[in-house]
Amino acid sequence: MEYIVVAAAVVALIFLVRANFDVDVARRALPVLLAAFAARLVVHVLLMRSGSAWYGGDNLTYESISMAMAEEWKRGGIYFVAPEQVGSLKSVAVPCNLFALVIYLCEGKAPLACTAVVALLACGLCVVMYRFARLLGADERSAFILLVISAFTPAFLVHTSDMFKDGFNAFLVVACLGLACSNMRRFDIRKLIVLCPLLWALWHVRPYMVFMCGPSLVLSLMGSKRAPSFRVMAVLSVVLGAVLALFGIAADEGPIGTMQEQLEYGQSDDLRRAVASEESGVTFEDSGSPWGALGPKLLYTLLSPFPWMEGTMTLQLGKIEVIVWYYLLYSAVRGARRLWDHDRSMFWTLLLFIVPSMVAYATTMANIGLIFRQRMPIIMVTSLLSAVAWNRAPEGGQAAAPGEERRGEEEWSPAIRPR
């Protein structure tokens, strides 16, 4: 049954590509995404589950939880298991329920089938990245390059080669922001209908990421007829921060209370010291305050591992990816300047996610291995700006400005082909 699930995932991938791309693009994208799908299965078999304990921990925990859920379903029928029903679920209810469903169908342990589902989701994210880049104004060539880079980025490849939740998190974050930017171009209630289950799923993967996406989603509801100025954005940020602070004071329970609890837990001195004592740990002279030494923490959050650092083999391999990340970051700065000149609404929508998320993660920074995984959505969103910078210049002039690409890409939503 495991192989049937893998085959079904391949068929779903083929359908996904054909449904979201024109014929010419699909002909080029399908081999790339099939190779990316196969690469994840190879990494899973040869490295993740080879018996050498090469990498992982969370994946095995999620597998154990999912196995227990599948056993419970055999006795009482299939139902969505919420975190309040099983304390060990915490914020991984959606991945574990999905894994449990695969295990239930396979009538036993099915790591390869579960990995196939995660690999399908990873390839789906590459499709979303292409569509998102086109929406921002990247030409077809630049968007395709971004698709290829996204598919084979080492950290993303490894963390979508087993039963991790990082692929779910990255997909949901990018999809939500993509819908927000699409809504900036043209409001459509159907996009909000699609956005609701995406946010619900994201809440059951990494709840605080819903709040990280919040400012961008709020801005998207303002529309794009009049691009907000820097002064307007500053005032909006202050007002939004004040509202969240008031809600945080008044709400010890519910979504705001959950976010506050997670933030306090991640920023706690005891947790940061414990994480820093592990492999790839980093300590800062911050007097025990999460906001102390914020500059160095931001540098480590954004740019580590540095080429001269010693550490585990995994950290050394991470240096390969970080070189690519440096180039993407350099290109993103150029792309951001172009987007600022031609479409400030889109610029602010992306920036309102990238900057607060980076600062929030910096306050919890204590281990390069952890931040390497956690910043994946930030890298994905930032690399969209890189695609804008890669646009080729037309004959006798400058590169086409964002928003001057074919307008069919404006009607964007995940897994829905523009008409």
Side-chain angles (χ1 to χ4, degrees), residues 98-114:
L98 183 57
F99 295 149
L101 179 60
V102 174
I103 292 169
Y104 180 85
L105 294 175
C106 294
E107 299 181 343
K109 195 173 182 180
L112 184 65
C114 291

Side-chain angles (χ1 to χ4, degrees), residues 208-209 211-216 237 240 263 267 291 298 301 348-363 378:
Y208 58 85
M209 294 307 295
F211 291 91
M212 294 295 99
C213 294
S216 298
S237 300
L240 191 60
L263 185 61
Q267 293 178 342
W291 297 97
L298 279 170
T301 301
W348 282 118
T349 303
L350 297 183
L351 199 70
L352 282 175
F353 170 78
I354 294 171
V355 174
S357 298
M358 192 65 69
V359 172
Y361 275 130
T363 63
I378 301 174

Side-chain angles (χ1 to χ4, degrees), residues 267-284:
Q267 293 178 342
S268 65
D269 186 50
D270 291 340
L271 178 64
R272 289 187 294 117
R273 288 183 181 277
V275 172
S277 65
E278 300 174 357
E279 292 182 326
S280 303
V282 183
T283 56
F284 299 91

